[in-house]
Amino acid sequence: MKLINKLFSKQKTASIEFCQRNLDEFLKEESLAAFNQFLSQKNINYKEYECQSRCKECRQSPYALVDGKLIAAENSDELLIKLKEEVKK
């Protein structure tokens, strides 16, 4: 029964929001392809805002909001790993 549930269960859609200024500051060119691949999944809706008024977080490290929850990391590669983990939950 569990296998059937896994096969036919709908995957939850995650909403991810980014600050454009934060991405400009912390997103590395090498990470761009991996981010694009992750964000192009059909269960992910994402939006970039010019500013999210989270200046303290924005200056310190890369971050994103996943379904309203703040996810911050040391660098853009770590942020991508954390985003993937959060979406799986």
Side-chain angles (χ1 to χ4, degrees), residues 5 8 10 13 18 21 24 38 53 61 73 75 80 88:
N5 288 340
F8 295 106
K10 285 190 172 183
T13 301
F18 295 98
R21 293 176 186 202
D24 289 344
F38 171 68
S53 299
S61 64
N75 56 55
L80 183 58
K88 284 182 184 179

Side-chain angles (χ1 to χ4, degrees), residues 9-24:
S9 67
K10 285 190 172 183
Q11 201 171 20
K12 181 184 155 199
T13 301
S15 174
I16 303 176
E17 299 174 357
F18 295 98
C19 174
Q20 188 176 28
R21 293 176 186 202
N22 185 264
L23 289 176
D24 289 344

Side-chain angles (χ1 to χ4, degrees), residues 25-87:
E25 177 72 25
F26 292 104
L27 185 61
K28 295 185 287 185
E29 190 73 34
E30 310 84 68
S31 304
L32 195 57
F35 267 88
N36 282 334
Q37 183 180 10
F38 171 68
L39 295 173
S40 66
Q41 296 178 57
K42 61 183 174 182
N43 66 318
I44 295 179
N45 294 324
Y46 76 95
K47 187 168 183 177
E48 289 181 32
Y49 293 92
E50 188 174 328
C51 180
Q52 291 182 315
S53 299
R54 294 179 170 268
C55 299
K56 183 178 179 183
E57 291 92 351
C58 193
R59 277 186 242 118
Q60 291 178 346
S61 64
Y63 79 91
L65 296 173
V66 179
D67 296 326
K69 179 180 175 184
L70 180 72
I71 306 295
E74 293 290 320
N75 56 55
S76 59
D77 294 330
E78 186 181 317
L79 178 62
L80 183 58
I81 291 167
K82 287 184 172 187
L83 290 175
K84 288 177 181 180
E85 290 172 358
E86 190 65 30
V87 168

